[in-house]
Short mmCIF file of all heavy atoms in Angstrom, two decimals:
data_model
loop_
_atom_site.label_atom_id
_atom_site.label_comp_id
_atom_site.label_asym_id
_atom_site.label_seq_id
_atom_site.Cartn_x
_atom_site.Cartn_y
_atom_site.Cartn_z
N LEU D 1 0.84 -1.19 0.00
CA LEU D 1 0.00 0.00 0.00
C LEU D 1 0.88 1.25 0.00
O LEU D 1 1.80 1.37 0.82
CB LEU D 1 -0.90 0.02 1.23
CG LEU D 1 -1.99 -1.05 1.29
CD1 LEU D 1 -2.61 -1.09 2.68
CD2 LEU D 1 -3.06 -0.79 0.24
N ASP D 2 0.63 2.16 -0.93
CA ASP D 2 1.31 3.45 -0.93
C ASP D 2 0.71 4.32 0.16
O ASP D 2 -0.52 4.39 0.32
CB ASP D 2 1.17 4.13 -2.29
CG ASP D 2 1.94 3.41 -3.39
OD1 ASP D 2 2.91 2.70 -3.06
OD2 ASP D 2 1.56 3.55 -4.56
N ILE D 3 1.56 5.02 0.89
CA ILE D 3 1.14 5.74 2.08
C ILE D 3 1.00 7.23 1.79
O ILE D 3 1.89 7.85 1.21
CB ILE D 3 2.17 5.54 3.22
CG1 ILE D 3 2.33 4.05 3.51
CG2 ILE D 3 1.75 6.30 4.47
CD1 ILE D 3 3.60 3.72 4.26
N ILE D 4 -0.12 7.79 2.22
CA ILE D 4 -0.37 9.22 2.15
C ILE D 4 -0.67 9.69 3.56
O ILE D 4 -1.40 9.03 4.30
CB ILE D 4 -1.56 9.53 1.22
CG1 ILE D 4 -1.30 8.96 -0.18
CG2 ILE D 4 -1.83 11.03 1.16
CD1 ILE D 4 -2.52 8.99 -1.09
N VAL D 5 -0.09 10.82 3.95
CA VAL D 5 -0.26 11.31 5.32
C VAL D 5 -0.65 12.78 5.31
O VAL D 5 -0.09 13.58 4.55
CB VAL D 5 1.02 11.13 6.15
CG1 VAL D 5 0.83 11.69 7.57
CG2 VAL D 5 1.42 9.67 6.22
N SER D 6 -1.60 13.14 6.17
CA SER D 6 -1.93 14.54 6.45
C SER D 6 -1.31 14.91 7.79
O SER D 6 -1.76 14.45 8.84
CB SER D 6 -3.44 14.75 6.52
OG SER D 6 -4.03 14.70 5.25
N PRO D 7 -0.25 15.74 7.79
CA PRO D 7 0.32 16.22 9.06
C PRO D 7 -0.39 17.50 9.50
O PRO D 7 -0.76 18.33 8.68
CB PRO D 7 1.78 16.51 8.69
CG PRO D 7 1.73 16.89 7.24
CD PRO D 7 0.55 16.17 6.63
N PHE D 8 -0.56 17.66 10.80
CA PHE D 8 -1.30 18.81 11.33
C PHE D 8 -0.45 19.68 12.25
O PHE D 8 -0.99 20.48 13.02
CB PHE D 8 -2.56 18.35 12.04
CG PHE D 8 -3.62 17.86 11.09
CD1 PHE D 8 -3.61 16.55 10.64
CD2 PHE D 8 -4.61 18.71 10.62
CE1 PHE D 8 -4.58 16.08 9.75
CE2 PHE D 8 -5.57 18.26 9.73
CZ PHE D 8 -5.55 16.95 9.29
N SER D 9 0.86 19.53 12.17
CA SER D 9 1.77 20.37 12.96
C SER D 9 3.16 20.28 12.33
O SER D 9 3.44 19.37 11.54
CB SER D 9 1.83 19.89 14.41
OG SER D 9 2.38 18.58 14.48
N ASP D 10 4.02 21.23 12.70
CA ASP D 10 5.40 21.16 12.23
C ASP D 10 6.07 19.88 12.71
O ASP D 10 6.88 19.28 12.00
CB ASP D 10 6.19 22.37 12.74
CG ASP D 10 5.81 23.66 12.03
OD1 ASP D 10 5.26 23.58 10.91
OD2 ASP D 10 6.05 24.75 12.59
N TYR D 11 5.74 19.46 13.92
CA TYR D 11 6.32 18.24 14.46
C TYR D 11 5.92 17.04 13.61
O TYR D 11 6.75 16.18 13.29
CB TYR D 11 5.85 18.04 15.90
CG TYR D 11 6.43 16.83 16.58
CD1 TYR D 11 7.76 16.79 16.99
CD2 TYR D 11 5.64 15.70 16.81
CE1 TYR D 11 8.29 15.66 17.61
CE2 TYR D 11 6.15 14.57 17.44
CZ TYR D 11 7.47 14.57 17.83
OH TYR D 11 8.00 13.45 18.44
N ALA D 12 4.65 16.98 13.22
CA ALA D 12 4.19 15.88 12.36
C ALA D 12 4.88 15.94 11.00
O ALA D 12 5.21 14.88 10.43
CB ALA D 12 2.67 15.94 12.19
N VAL D 13 5.10 17.13 10.49
CA VAL D 13 5.84 17.26 9.22
C VAL D 13 7.24 16.69 9.37
O VAL D 13 7.73 15.96 8.50
CB VAL D 13 5.90 18.74 8.79
CG1 VAL D 13 6.86 18.91 7.60
CG2 VAL D 13 4.51 19.25 8.41
N ASP D 14 7.90 16.99 10.49
CA ASP D 14 9.23 16.46 10.74
C ASP D 14 9.22 14.93 10.77
O ASP D 14 10.12 14.28 10.21
CB ASP D 14 9.78 16.98 12.07
CG ASP D 14 10.06 18.47 12.06
OD1 ASP D 14 10.17 19.05 10.96
OD2 ASP D 14 10.18 19.05 13.16
N ILE D 15 8.20 14.35 11.40
CA ILE D 15 8.10 12.89 11.48
C ILE D 15 7.90 12.30 10.08
O ILE D 15 8.52 11.29 9.72
CB ILE D 15 6.95 12.47 12.42
CG1 ILE D 15 7.21 12.95 13.85
CG2 ILE D 15 6.76 10.96 12.38
CD1 ILE D 15 8.47 12.42 14.47
N CYS D 16 7.03 12.93 9.30
CA CYS D 16 6.80 12.43 7.94
C CYS D 16 8.08 12.46 7.11
O CYS D 16 8.37 11.52 6.36
CB CYS D 16 5.72 13.28 7.25
SG CYS D 16 4.05 12.99 7.86
N GLU D 17 8.85 13.51 7.26
CA GLU D 17 10.11 13.60 6.51
C GLU D 17 11.09 12.55 6.99
O GLU D 17 11.74 11.87 6.18
CB GLU D 17 10.70 15.00 6.66
CG GLU D 17 11.97 15.20 5.82
CD GLU D 17 12.49 16.61 5.92
OE1 GLU D 17 12.53 17.17 7.04
OE2 GLU D 17 12.90 17.17 4.88
N ALA D 18 11.19 12.37 8.31
CA ALA D 18 12.12 11.38 8.87
C ALA D 18 11.76 9.97 8.44
O ALA D 18 12.65 9.13 8.22
CB ALA D 18 12.14 11.49 10.39
N LEU D 19 10.46 9.70 8.29
CA LEU D 19 10.01 8.36 7.90
C LEU D 19 9.85 8.21 6.39
O LEU D 19 9.31 7.23 5.91
CB LEU D 19 8.69 8.03 8.61
CG LEU D 19 8.76 8.00 10.14
CD1 LEU D 19 7.42 7.58 10.74
CD2 LEU D 19 9.86 7.06 10.62
N LYS D 20 10.32 9.24 5.65
CA LYS D 20 10.39 9.20 4.18
C LYS D 20 9.04 9.03 3.51
O LYS D 20 8.90 8.33 2.51
CB LYS D 20 11.36 8.09 3.72
CG LYS D 20 12.76 8.24 4.28
CD LYS D 20 13.72 7.21 3.70
CE LYS D 20 15.08 7.29 4.39
NZ LYS D 20 15.70 8.63 4.30
N ILE D 21 8.03 9.68 4.07
CA ILE D 21 6.72 9.73 3.41
C ILE D 21 6.87 10.59 2.16
O ILE D 21 7.43 11.68 2.20
CB ILE D 21 5.66 10.33 4.35
CG1 ILE D 21 5.48 9.43 5.58
CG2 ILE D 21 4.32 10.51 3.61
CD1 ILE D 21 5.02 8.03 5.26
N ARG D 22 6.36 10.12 1.05
CA ARG D 22 6.55 10.82 -0.21
C ARG D 22 5.35 11.69 -0.60
O ARG D 22 5.50 12.73 -1.22
CB ARG D 22 6.81 9.81 -1.34
CG ARG D 22 8.13 9.05 -1.19
CD ARG D 22 9.32 9.93 -1.51
NE ARG D 22 9.26 10.44 -2.86
CZ ARG D 22 9.58 9.73 -3.95
NH1 ARG D 22 9.94 8.46 -3.85
NH2 ARG D 22 9.51 10.29 -5.15
N THR D 23 4.13 11.25 -0.26
CA THR D 23 2.94 12.01 -0.65
C THR D 23 2.26 12.58 0.59
O THR D 23 1.89 11.85 1.51
CB THR D 23 1.94 11.11 -1.42
OG1 THR D 23 2.56 10.63 -2.60
CG2 THR D 23 0.70 11.92 -1.80
N ILE D 24 2.09 13.90 0.58
CA ILE D 24 1.47 14.61 1.68
C ILE D 24 0.10 15.11 1.24
O ILE D 24 -0.05 15.70 0.17
CB ILE D 24 2.33 15.81 2.13
CG1 ILE D 24 3.68 15.33 2.67
CG2 ILE D 24 1.60 16.66 3.17
CD1 ILE D 24 3.60 14.51 3.94
#
């Protein structure tokens, strides 16, 4: 499954980047 994430804070954005999420 390709993963898409909606981050709702700068901290969540940092986590998405660290975990190499490609689609926001």
